[in-house]
Amino acid sequence: MADSLLIYMTNVKPALFTVFSPALLKQYEVKDVIVVVIDVLRATSTIATALYNGAAAVVPVEEVANCIELGKRTGGITAGERDGIIAEGLEYGNSPFEYPRNFVEGKTLVLTTTNGTKLLHMALASGAGHIITGSFPNLSAVCDYLVGKGQPVLLACAAWKDRVNLEDMLFAGAVISRIKGHFAINCDSSRIAESMFELGSKDLFAFLKERQASHYRRLAGFGMEKDLHYCLTPDLANVLPFYENEQLIVKN
Amino acid sequence: MADSLLIYMTNVKPALFTVFSPALLKQYEVKDVIVVVIDVLRATSTIATALYNGAAAVVPVEEVANCIELGKRTGGITAGERDGIIAEGLEYGNSPFEYPRNFVEGKTLVLTTTNGTKLLHMALASGAGHIITGSFPNLSAVCDYLVGKGQPVLLACAAWKDRVNLEDMLFAGAVISRIKGHFAINCDSSRIAESMFELGSKDLFAFLKERQASHYRRLAGFGMEKDLHYCLTPDLANVLPFYENEQLIVKN
């Protein structure tokens, strides 16, 4: 009796899926699912950092024009990039180092990025149960939350203009390698992400460099190696950004 | 002078990209590009096999109804599956073992499958320069053709209902690991496919089994382990299926 109960219980683990690109999101049911938006270089790393450093909220918006308008209306800091550099008309960029505590504490950041904020709004439009953001700087907070909730999970990579990228996959793999025991995983993408993370986990920076990841090259070309190192390091800004009332706030 | 000429020549290698799902195809320009349609389990393995065993042609069609109609009109063998089993109204399925020489020689096969034929028609609609089909049974023929042509290449995985699968990625990786010296590869998906192939290449069957690839489980559940072994073995049906005048024929 106890044995069969145990078997039953191991069969009811919540499902976990991974998508490598926003263009694949529509293949998955996201109602009652926790969607983890992943944009490692650099949107979700910067969101975690700003909130960790005391920002009141981060408001993700899709368009630069909305960002400017909302910044004016609310007095928030307008920030964001297009194609890796500060978008015209905005005050700040998408580097986590632009948001130290002595600048960002108590303030609201209105943020637009090429891929991450777009994916978040797609997940929202698809009726996602909850939306959080994930990056290496808040890896443990994400894992602890997912295990604690025990709901189905979709790890959603922001990619680069819908093209699959390596760094977001590596973060999905890092999450899976930590929490897979708590979930039922019948998803090749999740197994692939986990394998890639295992391959690269000894030195993610060297791994991206060696594999010539396209986004690594794009950012390294802009002289942002410091950002790359930071964005690949676990738990430097270990908070949980949770989407609620059109903004990301820290979930305690 | 000779040195700078050499540098120039190495810079003009044709590009090679990989897409993991038909849903990602629209992100890539395919005009003047050779598109390799990859549906390892089992459409493209069966296409190579039927042609290797002397079939006059394989006509890939999208819908079961078209398949039946065209079969009647031309006297061709109607074949295909939906969700891994023979579709209602068709004579034969999607297993390479259904098409030995003493059955298929000189005949035309009208084939419809869940993913592979759909992707081929998408590539066609996008204006692909040339379309060929790839699978482990014709790995060397594909590689030799791509190197010989020296044109840009898109390795296009048929996936499973637009969800990424491991086996198609492994074939893309096998191609890349053989021919990468001849192409300029600035594409994370290609690097990922190559890495996954390197991880699994010692025993692809064991690798799929161990990673619990979803399609492996689907087919193994139907008792098709023999098909799986065949479809993961290089060069058992080493011809080049080339799409021309609405059918796949052997390109010499």
Side-chain angles (χ1 to χ4, degrees):
Chain A
M1 181 63 188
D3 268 7
S4 57
L5 182 63
L6 186 66
I7 289 166
Y8 175 73
M9 287 178 69
T10 58
N11 282 337
V12 293
K13 287 179 183 174
L16 182 149
F17 290 93
T18 302
V19 286
F20 293 150
S21 164
L24 301 172
L25 189 67
K26 62 178 180 297
Q27 309 308 324
Y28 295 82
E29 176 58 66
V30 296
K31 287 205 177 74
D32 301 319
V33 170
I34 301 171
V35 176
V36 184
V37 171
I38 302 165
D39 189 1
V40 163
L41 298 176
R42 296 167 291 167
T44 56
S45 301
T46 297
I47 289 166
T49 303
L51 290 172
Y52 178 78
N53 285 335
V58 177
V59 185
V61 296
E62 276 197 82
E63 303 295 336
V64 173
N66 294 354
C67 189
I68 295 170
E69 191 273 326
L70 201 63
K72 274 187 192 153
R73 188 147 53 83
T74 64
I77 303 164
T78 61
E81 50 83 22
R82 284 295 177 274
D83 297 330
I85 54 174
I86 300 181
E88 207 183 319
L90 304 184
E91 299 166 294
Y92 293 89
N94 195 24
S95 167
F97 292 105
E98 291 182 85
Y99 305 100
R101 181 169 292 273
N102 63 13
F103 170 59
V104 83
E105 193 166 23
K107 294 183 188 156
T108 291
L109 193 63
V110 187
L111 179 72
T112 181
T113 64
T114 313
N115 306 293
T117 50
K118 194 189 87 173
L119 173 60
L120 190 150
H121 287 98
M122 284 177 69
L124 200 64
S126 307
H130 298 291
I131 298 173
I132 63 174
T133 67
S135 66
F136 286 100
N138 68 330
L139 172 61
S140 292
V142 168
C143 292
D144 293 347
Y145 177 76
L146 296 178
V147 171
K149 293 293 283 184
Q151 282 177 237
V153 169
L154 181 70
L155 302 175
C157 300
W160 180 262
K161 299 183 178 180
D162 284 340
R163 295 187 181 195
V164 175
N165 72 35
L166 182 51
E167 64 273 14
D168 293 341
M169 183 183 293
L170 288 174
F171 178 76
V175 172
I176 292 161
S177 78
R178 282 213 196 174
I179 69 174
K180 61 186 174 184
H182 300 269
F183 292 87
I185 303 179
N186 179 18
C187 162
D188 286 18
S189 297
S190 298
R191 297 299 179 189
I192 292 158
E194 186 191 359
S195 299
M196 291 302 293
F197 176 71
E198 282 167 12
L199 262 182
S201 60
K202 249 171 77 181
D203 186 343
L204 293 173
F205 185 82
F207 188 67
L208 279 181
K209 197 168 178 177
E210 170 203 315
R211 306 279 152 160
Q212 294 276 308
S214 55
H215 202 166
Y216 165 83
R217 297 204 294 185
R218 202 174 296 121
L219 287 180
F222 294 142
M224 295 182 189
E225 295 221 350
K226 188 180 162 201
D227 281 36
L228 290 167
H229 276 290
Y230 177 89
C231 292
L232 295 172
T233 306
D235 296 345
L236 295 175
N238 200 26
V239 292
L240 189 81
F242 186 86
Y243 190 78
E244 200 171 72
N245 299 326
E246 302 186 3
Q247 53 187 17
L248 290 152
I249 51 164
V250 173
K251 180 87 171 179
N252 293 310
Chain B
M1 180 66 192
D3 268 7
S4 57
L5 182 63
L6 187 66
I7 289 165
Y8 174 72
M9 287 179 68
T10 58
N11 283 338
V12 293
K13 288 178 182 174
L16 182 149
F17 290 93
T18 302
V19 286
F20 292 150
S21 163
L24 301 173
L25 189 66
K26 63 178 178 297
Q27 309 308 323
Y28 295 82
E29 176 58 68
V30 296
K31 286 203 179 77
D32 302 319
V33 171
I34 300 171
V35 176
V36 184
V37 171
I38 302 165
D39 188 1
V40 163
L41 300 177
R42 296 168 293 168
T44 55
S45 302
T46 297
I47 289 166
T49 304
L51 290 172
Y52 177 80
N53 285 336
V58 177
V59 184
V61 295
E62 275 198 82
E63 302 296 334
V64 173
N66 294 355
C67 188
I68 294 169
E69 191 272 328
L70 201 62
K72 272 186 191 151
R73 189 147 53 85
T74 64
I77 303 163
T78 62
E81 49 83 22
R82 284 296 178 272
D83 297 330
I85 54 175
I86 299 181
E88 208 182 318
L90 303 185
E91 299 167 295
Y92 293 89
N94 195 24
S95 167
F97 291 105
E98 292 181 84
Y99 305 100
R101 180 168 293 273
N102 62 13
F103 170 59
V104 83
E105 192 167 25
K107 293 181 187 157
T108 292
L109 194 62
V110 187
L111 180 71
T112 181
T113 64
T114 312
N115 306 294
T117 50
K118 193 189 86 174
L119 172 60
L120 189 150
H121 287 96
M122 283 175 69
L124 201 62
S126 307
H130 298 293
I131 298 175
I132 63 174
T133 67
S135 65
F136 285 101
N138 69 330
L139 172 61
S140 292
V142 168
C143 292
D144 293 347
Y145 177 76
L146 296 178
V147 170
K149 292 294 281 184
Q151 283 177 236
V153 169
L154 181 70
L155 302 175
C157 300
W160 180 262
K161 298 183 179 181
D162 284 338
R163 295 188 182 197
V164 175
N165 72 34
L166 182 51
E167 64 274 12
D168 293 342
M169 184 184 293
L170 288 174
F171 177 75
V175 172
I176 292 161
S177 77
R178 281 213 195 175
I179 70 174
K180 61 185 174 185
H182 300 269
F183 291 87
I185 304 180
N186 180 18
C187 162
D188 285 18
S189 297
S190 298
R191 297 300 179 189
I192 292 159
E194 186 191 0
S195 299
M196 291 302 294
F197 176 71
E198 282 167 12
L199 262 182
S201 61
K202 250 171 75 180
D203 185 342
L204 292 173
F205 184 82
F207 188 67
L208 279 182
K209 196 169 178 174
E210 171 203 313
R211 307 279 153 159
Q212 293 275 310
S214 54
H215 202 167
Y216 164 85
R217 297 205 294 187
R218 200 174 296 120
L219 287 180
F222 295 142
M224 295 180 188
E225 295 222 350
K226 187 180 162 200
D227 282 35
L228 289 167
H229 277 289
Y230 177 88
C231 292
L232 296 172
T233 306
D235 297 345
L236 294 175
N238 201 26
V239 292
L240 188 80
F242 186 87
Y243 190 79
E244 198 171 72
N245 300 325
E246 303 185 3
Q247 55 187 14
L248 291 153
I249 52 163
V250 174
K251 180 86 171 180
N252 292 309

